[in-house]
Amino acid sequence: MNVPMATWVGTNDRKAVLSEDVANRDVFEWLHNSRGISRTRMAKLEPSHHRRRHQQEAETGAGSLNAIPPAKPRHVLHVVLLLLTLVACRPCHGHDPELFDMDNEDGPLVHVVSVVKGKTSLPCDITSADEDDQASLVLFYKDGASQSIYTYDARDKYASRPRHWSDDNVLGKRAFFSKLQSNRSSSGRLMIDNVHETDVGLYRCRVDFKRSPTRNSRVNLTVVVPPKLMKITNEKGVDVGDLIGPFDEGVTLILVCIVTGGNPMPDVTWWQEERMIDRHVEVRQYSENGVASNVLQFERLGRSDLRTRLSCHASNSLLAQPPLTKFVEIELNLKPLDVRILSSRQPLSSGKKYELTCQTTGSRPSPKVTWWKDGHLLRHSQETQYDGGNVTLSQLAVQLTPEDDGKKLVCRAENPVLGAASAIEDTWLLDVYYVPRVRLELGRNLQGDHIREGIDVYFNCHVTARPSGVRLVWRHQSKVLHHNVSAGVIISETSLVLQRVSRSATGRYTCHASNAEGEGSSAPFHLNVARKSRFCSFKIIIYSSAFSRKLGPRPIHHSAGSLLGPYGTNHTVSIFTKEIQRLGFQSTKVLQQGRFFQLVLNMLEKIGNVCEQIFGSLSPLERLRLFTTPHITRLMDILRRFGPQKSGQYIPLCSIVFVDRRSSANVLYHILRAASKCDPELSYLTPLFTMGQASGKPKGKMKEANHLNQSQTQIIRGFRDGSCNLLVATSVLEEGVDVRACNLVVRFDGIKTYCDYVQSKGRARSPNAFYIIMVPEDKLDDFLDTLSGFHSIEQSLLDPSSLTLSSVTEEEPVNRQIEEYWQTRIPPYCPVPGGPRITLLSSIGLLNWYCASLPSGGSPTALVPYWTMLEIGPHNWMELDAKCVDHLRGTSSKFPLYQCSILLPLNAPLREELISKIMPSKRLARQEVALQTCIRLHKLGELDDQHLLPLSKSIPIDEEDDDIFFNFDSNNPQENDFYPRGIASLFDQKLVAPYHLYLITYELENSSRAVQQEGVFNPNYAERRLGFLSSRRLPPVNPFGLFSPAGQFNVGFQEIHNHQPLSDVDIELCHRFQQFIFERILEFPEDEQYNREKCSYVIVPMNSANNQIDLDFIRHQLDSAVPDWQDHSPGDSNFYQVYRDAVVISQHNQAKGKSRYYYVNTIRRDLTPLSPFPNKAFPTYLDYYRDRYCIQIRNLQQSLLEVTKESLKSFNFLTPKYVNRKGAADKDTKLRGVIHFIPELCHVHRFPASMWRQSVWIPSIFYRLNSLLLADELRIEIQNETGLGHELSFLQSGVPCWEPLEIKVNSSVDVAKRIANDSGSKIQLVKEDVFGNKNGFSQNPLTLYDAIEDQMDLKHSLWNVDLFFSETNKSSTKVEKLKSKTNDYVNGEDHFAPTVEVQNVHFDDVVTKTLTGPSPGELLQSLTTSVANAGFNLERLEVIGDSILKLATSIHIYCKSPSHFHEGKMTHLRIKQVCNANLFKLGKSKSIPRFMVATKFLPKENWLSPCYFPNNVDSDVESLVKPNVKLWQRIRKKTIADSVEALFGLYLTLHGIKGALKVMRWMGVDVPDPGEGTFSFGGSTPHPLLVDFPQAELHLEDHLAGFDALERSINFRFRNRFYLLQAFSHASYHNNRMTSCYQRLEFLGDAVFDYLITKYLYETRLFQLTPGALSDMRSALVNNVTFAVLSVRNGFHRFLKHMVPDVHQSIDRFVQQQEMCDHAIPDEFSLVGTKDDPMAEDIEVPKVLGDIFESLVGAVFLDSDMSLDVVWRIFYPFVRDEIEACTRTVPKSPIRKLYEKYPGKVEFKSLGKLPDGRICVGVEIMNNGRLYKAVGRNTRIAKNTAAKYAISLLEN
């Protein structure tokens, strides 16, 4: 055993260092605590001079142990010396510590500690004060003895070989003295091996020198004895072994560790693994063989204590290593930890065999697993153990029957040792599917042997089936019956109605029900139809919503041939007379028709005359009473009952009288109006009539139809506002028109169909409303039968069993008496007295209506509540809560009783299970709990207060088409679309001192062309240049491009600080010079006045030599004595000086009436008038001028002038002129423009050409400068509000602070694709090694770019952009970027090959230093529209800005909205934030239109020269018919909204998401707070667990059984797995009550993935996508079809949890289609409709598949703390192939393709909604004559499909 040794060094200068093993805090504690030495006593042991120094150090903190700096070892030695002093204070075998005071004359005292059997050394200082002296004799004494125990003799004769002697009785051969010699000192040590316990004591070392005095030193040796023996016992004192137990889980364990021996007494500690758990020593009995013990008490042994290794350690010094140790290990009996039935809990089919598996874990020993079904033990299960018995699987083979549906299957696991107390269970409520059981019966009020012709017969089909969603088929004589109202066949779910049956209806009827399990049929019912009898008289029947009664049967004895009578006939004659006269006038050209109309008019005239003779002598009231039918008389009697004089409390009448014919409506209106005028009791009536249009489109009726529509609208409006209280109407008001709730509805002509009955009765919605049907008595019996059938149909529709997905239960006998009793016993819910109410009868229908209104997640079937019925018998009666049975007291209810519970879909706000009171029937139990639910829903705001009906869950506007309701293109000029053109504040003030002078600088973009070329103007070599004076300093702006034949100049501004002082006269000269330029040089319009008071800057000429204003030049140019145009002789001596920088005009042009200005480029000394003319038709220039213009040239030796024409039509030099409007580039522009003039024929302008050329640039320069300054003002405003960016200093020495403003000119359209087509090369951008040999570029990547540059097609320019933008002069930069990215790979297990640009793509914000913010030029891009044609625009920024806006608002809405807000509500909230109407409003509030550039720059048309102002301008734009375009610009509202989005996109690209969020909040958009650090979004997200669910984690594991495979497939482990459950829970999955359904996550995931794709496409393509191509690629990648394909391809659909069979079937069909087409994305459509009217429809893709993909994206996003990078890493492998497919062939939207193929000829039309809710849209091509129709789930899909349909037909 290696024992550490304590060592002393340097005792001569009182510095002692203890070895590392001894200098330990535990030793200090032992010395201080175990021996009871006080700190005061310790201080006494220290030398006085040491104490004084230590006191000083303590005062300054230097003496504390914690304050010892490592760089000062002297302080460390002081502290160690103190420790050693303490060690010396320990009593050693009877020695008194006071005897060893260091002040003792025997010499200094040092301390040494050692352990038994170890090694130690006793130091002895043998250094002499005399350097030449040395020790000759060293003697060691022990414990004050006079006899030495060791001698070192180096005296004379032993000087060369010193002699050693050791006392054998003390140290013997174990000791040896060693002498160490250094430069200035020497020391000695007495080395002792194998230290004995008896070696302890005080040693004295005496040193004799040859000349120096004798020296003594003392050493106190302390010997540590380790403990000897250890044992561990239990609480009873019985020794335990290495393995203890087993103990039952939960008991308390007591262990005692006993240690014997050791000096000093050891510390006894307990350890668990590597952690000390108990250091308290309970027993201390110390003697020479002392005993120390430690009692360990373990409370409630748990699962974590299994196989725990405990150890007891005993140690009394760190020198004795290792400590004495003993180990024990704990064995436990454990309860089962969990038990789960591993089956997917999907419905099971009856009759099939299933192998069920139950898994239990955690039991020790292995558990006993049993299966139970409804309390009965199931035998013959088999058990298997895994993982060393920790996991037990039990398998059970079962075959279920329909009776097992709803029973509980239980798997129970218990520890056989612990017994029943350890048992745990997992319960599965069995859902057994079976073939429908069908029973057919005739309607309750019908008797099978009394069926007559003409009555309505109805059948009820009672179905018991699982799944409950069944498809019913009715057969008559084995022939399938179809719903056909016109044929009298009405099929309503479980009912069949045969209207007005005839003898042909006789036969055998059967009902067939089918579900996923198969088809069941009813027993046939044989119907025998007999002939009917006839009766004749009248009777009126009144039906109220509250009761049914008959009012006075009034027999009529005359014929009922006319319902209107003679009085009505008279009005009919007048109506037909007017109509025939109109028709006859239109048909005068046809002789036969004219004769017929004249004959009819004669007959009508005779009838009218007869009526006049009869009515002439009678009063109006008598006419009504005598010549109207009893039908009308009865109607008037009814109306009199509703008059104000007939009741104490008058309720204003609101009535509709329905008639069958349009003519009847007109006539009856006139009769009632006449009655209101002559009958006092009907005077309160204010009747009107309305009717629909007649069928067909007769010629000449268009005008009348339009007039009719207008009048009908006014009539409906009058009925709504109450000015009309009685409306006579045809069926036009039965449906489709919103009118007031009526208190009286009359069917004047009876009812014929169930549709008539329901729709007209639905108008009687007021409380206590009356519904009156007027029926002839001869039709009364038939009508009563019909009405009974209608009642049955109505009741069956309100019954939940009639709905496809409601729980179909076995029909139970209905006891009407009991039900009517409970209807009165349980009061209806009526929140407002006298208002609407909910009764037991209406509760179920209302609840089904509400559930059907919830978003169903793309399911074709509406959502329904989930019902559970519990039968109550005597055995479980006593277990019920008293609240559930109190209402039964005093009733005669008998067993069995029933209790019903209900669960609503997951997207309903009511999440808990509601339980009904105990009721005597199942129907009443369902009604009672439905009533409770409706009450709760109303209190939650889900039912409205006006009618207690469900609030609309629909989205008011399609998110994709939110702009179709926003009027952007108003043709009204008074519409506020004009905004003042922005003027920068620097230019909007008076020019006053002090003045700031700026020189306009020009820098050629391409330095290789900077050399002055002959004939090409370069302003940098001009004698003078232009500048301007301003009153304010110019802030930094971007240099911008100015395009000339010499190339692109980057224009900048240099401030001239030391310019000459300017007087008022000088400023006046500058003003006049500016006027001279604009009026006489540029010839701007004369309708503007120059105003010096409003002038903000003036343009001045500057001398290039000294950069000062050239006032002499100004005076010369303004000298009126000098003519503008001058003649110069070619022979003048200054000929070269005159013409080298001149502007000329030629006489031959003036002779043709043309006055064109030309610049002299150069003087051609090599050409004369005798030189050959370029056109061979003329030999020389002399001949050309003589023959063409009759001009004789005198000087034949003069040199010719090479000139170029200057056009004053356009001064826009901001875009390249060498690229024309059609996109064709002309490389020889300069050569084509070369013209040669004869000098003697020219007039020279006194204004130099160099200045003239610069002057024409002025409008472009200052137009762009004003735009940049405006953008800079907006930048500063945003910076001040958001803190984004830094304020920059003003221009210094002309050094630009920003990068030049870049003009992008497109040079290629899909270059890579074209090269591949032309040269056969294949460009592959997605490779494993881009520069390697695997499918990549063969050798040098520059080859690709060289090929691209060599084959660039200049025909594609800025104005003909199709797919890509390429950056000019940056191909080499792209290659370098490409090279730098090849070695970077996307993280992931598969190490998939990256695309060229996938590397270095970050979506989350990276913490970087604060940026300067966007430059004015970048901001100008976000404010410039494509209409401006400026070479840049906001469209790309708008695309990315729109995407981040959608993401930010989605996150904010998700986090802030209540948990029950489903996707529809949240989408509506998002639309309100991101719609263009809101963005326009916000942008306008921030004055964004002021900064925008929305029109093309046309200097002479829409640019206002400095200091000029138009005459007679009105500042109020609304008062102007046509505002001045120089002061106003017209901007569409949508364009302003786009600019706002582009601002968001700009700050996103520069400052990341946090920057974009700050700008959005500044703009007024509700978005999250910016995050901190790498977190892009601030705030917290709501937890997916909505309620405090007991044992939530356990239930979660049950729901997510098997989801580990999903997490492995996406390479992501959820930290909060409740997100995973929510992501795959359909709204119908009622088993999950812990989270909401996936719709909220889908809403969020859609925005997240849309942003990721958009950002990726925006930043990482090899060529920058144009906005159109970017939108097309995003649409192709982010849509429900693509997401559905990805879900199926990756198996996500297998994890969807739902309870709707239709969803399962639609998914299965789509999966089969995908497997057949190898999971390709479908891009086809199918034709629906009729052969004559076909419509296209997109291939059916289950929306739920796309939804779960988006919801999974949302779940990963939230679980990763809203990390976009994590989401992209997870989901990029899934969409990689689709992205690369789009890269190879950029998709184009069918709509855009259609617009491009037929520009200006495409028109989309909205064709309304189909009955199933789908949108119908048509597209028409002008001059094509055909309308291409399509239908879709929303407008966007329908328009897209219509475009595809049109293209497919037009291309074929």
Side-chain angles (χ1 to χ4, degrees), residues 1298-1316:
W1298 304 106
E1299 292 293 327
L1301 184 62
E1302 184 177 357
I1303 304 295
K1304 293 184 178 180
V1305 179
N1306 185 34
S1307 301
S1308 177
V1309 179
D1310 202 352
V1311 180
K1313 180 179 178 181
R1314 183 162 40 76
I1315 293 175

Side-chain angles (χ1 to χ4, degrees), residues 1292-1522:
Q1292 299 292 337
S1293 303
V1295 179
C1297 300
W1298 304 106
E1299 292 293 327
L1301 184 62
E1302 184 177 357
I1303 304 295
K1304 293 184 178 180
V1305 179
N1306 185 34
S1307 301
S1308 177
V1309 179
D1310 202 352
V1311 180
K1313 180 179 178 181
R1314 183 162 40 76
I1315 293 175
N1317 293 335
D1318 294 344
S1319 61
S1321 61
K1322 295 183 179 179
I1323 300 175
Q1324 300 180 358
L1325 305 180
V1326 186
K1327 297 301 159 194
E1328 186 173 338
D1329 182 2
V1330 183
F1331 298 120
N1333 297 321
K1334 289 188 177 181
N1335 301 323
F1337 304 118
S1338 57
Q1339 293 180 354
N1340 188 355
L1342 287 172
T1343 306
L1344 169 68
Y1345 299 98
D1346 293 341
I1348 292 176
E1349 290 184 346
D1350 292 343
Q1351 303 192 31
M1352 269 187 182
D1353 186 0
L1354 293 178
K1355 292 183 179 180
H1356 299 283
S1357 71
L1358 175 67
W1359 297 279
N1360 192 21
V1361 174
D1362 188 13
L1363 296 179
F1364 298 101
F1365 281 122
S1366 64
E1367 300 183 13
T1368 56
N1369 301 325
K1370 290 189 178 182
S1371 60
S1372 61
T1373 305
K1374 288 182 180 178
V1375 172
E1376 294 303 321
K1377 292 182 179 179
L1378 187 63
K1379 288 180 178 180
S1380 66
K1381 294 178 180 179
T1382 53
N1383 296 325
D1384 299 328
Y1385 288 86
V1386 176
N1387 295 329
E1389 293 183 354
D1390 298 333
H1391 299 289
F1392 53 87
T1395 60
V1396 172
E1397 52 284 298
V1398 74
Q1399 300 82 7
N1400 299 328
V1401 178
H1402 294 285
F1403 298 93
D1404 293 322
D1405 283 351
V1406 180
V1407 179
T1408 58
K1409 296 182 178 179
T1410 304
L1411 302 176
T1412 58
S1415 68
E1418 291 168 324
L1419 262 173
L1420 180 60
Q1421 179 181 356
S1422 67
L1423 298 166
T1424 304
T1425 67
S1426 59
V1427 178
N1429 207 13
F1432 51 83
N1433 57 59
L1434 56 80
E1435 291 184 351
R1436 274 177 54 81
L1437 289 173
E1438 184 261 333
V1439 173
I1440 191 66
D1442 170 76
S1443 184
I1444 187 60
L1445 175 64
K1446 178 181 177 182
L1447 174 63
T1449 53
S1450 299
I1451 294 174
H1452 178 76
I1453 292 170
Y1454 182 91
C1455 296
K1456 298 300 182 181
S1457 63
S1459 60
H1460 65 271
F1461 270 33
H1462 51 70
E1463 177 196 9
K1465 286 186 178 180
M1466 294 195 297
T1467 301
H1468 177 55
L1469 293 177
R1470 180 171 66 192
I1471 289 175
K1472 290 173 64 178
Q1473 287 287 318
V1474 306
C1475 69
N1476 286 326
N1478 184 56
L1479 295 179
F1480 161 72
K1481 180 182 67 175
L1482 297 176
K1484 189 176 180 181
S1485 67
K1486 296 294 184 181
S1487 301
I1488 296 299
R1490 172 177 176 262
F1491 305 101
M1492 291 185 62
V1493 180
T1495 55
K1496 185 179 179 181
F1497 175 49
L1498 302 172
K1500 285 198 172 185
E1501 297 179 16
N1502 58 15
W1503 183 69
L1504 194 62
S1505 307
C1507 306
Y1508 285 87
F1509 292 89
N1511 297 321
N1512 301 324
V1513 175
D1514 194 338
S1515 61
D1516 187 3
V1517 69
E1518 296 184 0
S1519 64
L1520 300 178
V1521 177
K1522 186 177 180 181

Side-chain angles (χ1 to χ4, degrees), residues 191-265:
M191 312 295 296
I192 303 177
D193 294 336
N194 192 16
V195 176
H196 293 171
E197 188 174 355
T198 57
D199 291 340
V200 63
L202 180 62
Y203 293 82
R204 181 169 63 89
C205 173
R206 195 188 90 180
V207 181
D208 293 339
F209 299 93
K210 293 181 178 180
R211 293 185 296 272
S212 300
T214 299
R215 176 184 299 164
N216 291 296
S217 62
R218 294 175 297 162
V219 179
N220 184 37
L221 176 62
T222 302
V223 178
V224 177
V225 180
K228 298 179 180 178
L229 180 63
M230 175 186 291
K231 68 177 180 176
I232 299 177
T233 67
N234 58 20
E235 68 274 18
K236 299 180 180 179
V238 179
D239 291 354
V240 298
D242 296 339
L243 183 65
I244 58 176
F247 301 99
D248 291 345
E249 188 176 359
V251 302
T252 299
L253 172 65
I254 298 176
L255 294 175
V256 182
C257 180
I258 302 174
V259 179
T260 305
N263 184 30
M265 186 181 73

Side-chain angles (χ1 to χ4, degrees), residues 436 856-857 1192 1230 1515 1558 1608 1752 1795:
S856 59
Q1192 185 66 40
K1230 181 172 73 68
S1515 61
K1558 291 180 179 179
R1608 287 193 298 271
L1752 184 58
Y1795 276 121

